[in-house]
Amino acid sequence: MSLLEISDLHVSYAIARNRKVQAVKGASLAVERGASVGLVGESGCGKSTLAAAVLCLVKAERGLILYDGVNVPGLRGRELFKYRAKMQMVFQDPYGSLNPRLSVGSALEECLAVHAIGGRRERQARVAELLQTVGLERSHSARYPHEFSGGQRQRIGIARALAVNPEFIIADEPVSALDVSIQAQILNLLKDIQKNKNFSILFIAHDLAVVSYMCSRIYVMYLGEIMESGTTEDVYKHPAHPYTRALLAAVPDLDRARSVRGVKRPVLEGEMPSLLASIGGCPFHPRCPFARPVCRAEAPPVKDVAGGHFSRCHFAGEL
């Protein structure tokens, strides 16, 4: 059994009286114990909403969210509190996710106090240990967030997520707000800590190159739906959906450029439609260079193109 299993998840937001926007539409994914799974797609496709539903920060309209066999949306009170201790989040914005009024040490110690972990001295020792784990110094505990760089703040965010020894971490675009020179440091830090602590990660990003480096399995999302999923190798080397192919075409890769020389590379034109738009058939067909009449008329089925490599496309594996 997977540690986290999401099936046919629907999440919507009310935007006016008797009107709502569907942010997640029938998404399904699974994360095994100790695994790194990537969720990739353009901004606004529903990735962060899915993560918020997993943490019970937004309410799921319908569908299953099972964590270690337990129905998450059904949790209340103390049981929900215990669940959230098992699952933590690293946020995208290292500037806005830290309280500017709290020193770093106080912010980390607060997490431990809320969950009644240790006494005063034990918590202080744990704060020092967490700072060292993420590559900072014990003396940094007395400083405030504005005294740190963006990369250092994200390290503090990671330390905060690790404070209660979670089994599962959701990393919501943790490097997108950082300089390219710092991104690799944070990614390597997450990778090393996961290897030592053996927790699971749902890594959310819009950059397929970053996700392919971090994760063993990838889910590709578009307009709230999972369009393709498979092992990193299958999705990266043999993309079976035009959207995935277009995302990969935008990633600088000399080896791939040589291997597909002479083959027309799909170009992703225009912007992702509003979630309010009513699109019949395949949601990607208005931007798909391979769209045919059936794509406009009928929603595509999910096809298994290569033993666990799935694509939601009428012509999966044929293009």
Side-chain angles (χ1 to χ4, degrees):
M1 179 185 293
S2 301
L3 180 61
L4 175 69
E5 187 170 348
I6 299 172
S7 179
D8 194 31
L9 180 66
H10 291 72
V11 182
S12 62
Y13 296 109
I15 57 173
R17 183 178 295 178
N18 299 324
R19 195 179 181 197
K20 56 187 179 182
V21 58
Q22 197 80 35
V24 179
K25 308 170 186 176
S28 299
L29 63 80
V31 182
E32 304 294 330
R33 288 187 182 275
S36 296
V37 171
L39 181 61
V40 66
E42 293 171 276
S43 296
C45 73
K47 306 185 301 295
S48 295
T49 295
L50 183 146
V54 170
L55 290 169
C56 295
L57 299 178
V58 299
K59 186 178 180 180
E61 194 172 29
R62 70 174 189 269
L64 287 176
I65 303 175
L66 297 177
Y67 184 85
D68 205 11
V70 176
N71 179 34
V72 172
L75 296 177
R76 298 289 184 275
R78 191 68 187 172
E79 292 304 315
L80 179 59
F81 182 79
K82 290 179 181 179
Y83 164 73
R84 283 176 170 159
K86 297 178 182 179
M87 184 177 290
Q88 294 291 300
M89 192 164 187
V90 178
F91 295 91
Q92 177 180 1
D93 183 6
Y95 300 91
S97 60
L98 296 174
N99 188 337
R101 296 177 179 272
L102 289 180
S103 67
V104 167
S106 296
L108 295 177
E109 195 172 334
E110 182 181 53
C111 300
L112 301 170
V114 165
H115 291 278
I117 298 175
R120 174 87 176 164
R121 288 187 178 181
E122 289 85 358
R123 291 199 291 265
Q124 290 177 341
R126 175 64 174 157
V127 167
E129 178 189 346
L130 288 166
L131 290 174
Q132 290 175 344
T133 297
V134 298
L136 296 175
E137 297 178 10
R138 184 171 188 162
S139 60
H140 287 157
S141 65
R143 297 186 186 179
Y144 287 81
H146 72 271
E147 299 179 75
F148 295 92
S149 67
Q152 288 175 319
R153 292 186 202 193
Q154 199 57 292
R155 289 173 185 267
I156 295 166
I158 293 169
R160 182 176 58 186
L162 294 172
V164 294
N165 289 316
E167 301 173 337
F168 195 107
I169 286 181
I170 297 177
D172 188 5
E173 305 220 31
V175 297
S176 63
L178 304 177
D179 292 341
V180 174
S181 59
I182 304 300
Q183 289 182 6
Q185 297 178 21
I186 299 301
L187 293 176
N188 287 329
L189 174 66
L190 272 172
K191 218 171 186 183
D192 291 343
I193 294 175
Q194 187 204 15
K195 185 177 180 180
N196 292 331
K197 303 286 186 181
N198 197 36
F199 52 77
S200 303
I201 292 183
L202 177 60
F203 194 95
I204 297 172
H206 59 264
D207 188 336
L208 258 173
V210 169
V211 172
S212 66
Y213 176 71
M214 287 294 298
C215 304
S216 57
R217 189 170 184 84
I218 295 175
Y219 290 81
V220 180
M221 195 173 203
Y222 185 79
L223 277 182
E225 299 183 37
I226 302 298
M227 308 309 286
E228 182 167 1
S229 66
T231 65
T232 299
E233 184 176 8
D234 283 344
V235 172
Y236 206 75
K237 292 185 177 179
H238 309 288
H241 195 283
Y243 180 55
T244 310
R245 292 178 63 178
L247 290 177
L248 285 168
V251 177
D253 190 323
L254 290 176
D255 291 334
R256 190 187 301 107
R258 294 190 189 100
S259 66
V260 297
R261 186 173 296 166
V263 178
K264 183 180 178 181
R265 302 178 77 187
V267 177
L268 192 57
E269 298 181 348
E271 297 183 356
M272 190 174 67
S274 166
L275 290 170
L276 291 170
S278 178
I279 301 174
C282 174
F284 185 59
H285 84 255
R287 302 173 72 190
C288 181
F290 308 106
R292 301 175 189 176
V294 66
C295 303
R296 300 175 181 89
E298 300 177 17
V302 177
K303 294 183 179 180
D304 188 344
V305 294
H309 181 186
F310 299 94
S311 176
R312 189 184 295 271
C313 177
H314 289 291
F315 308 100
E318 301 175 19
L319 299 174

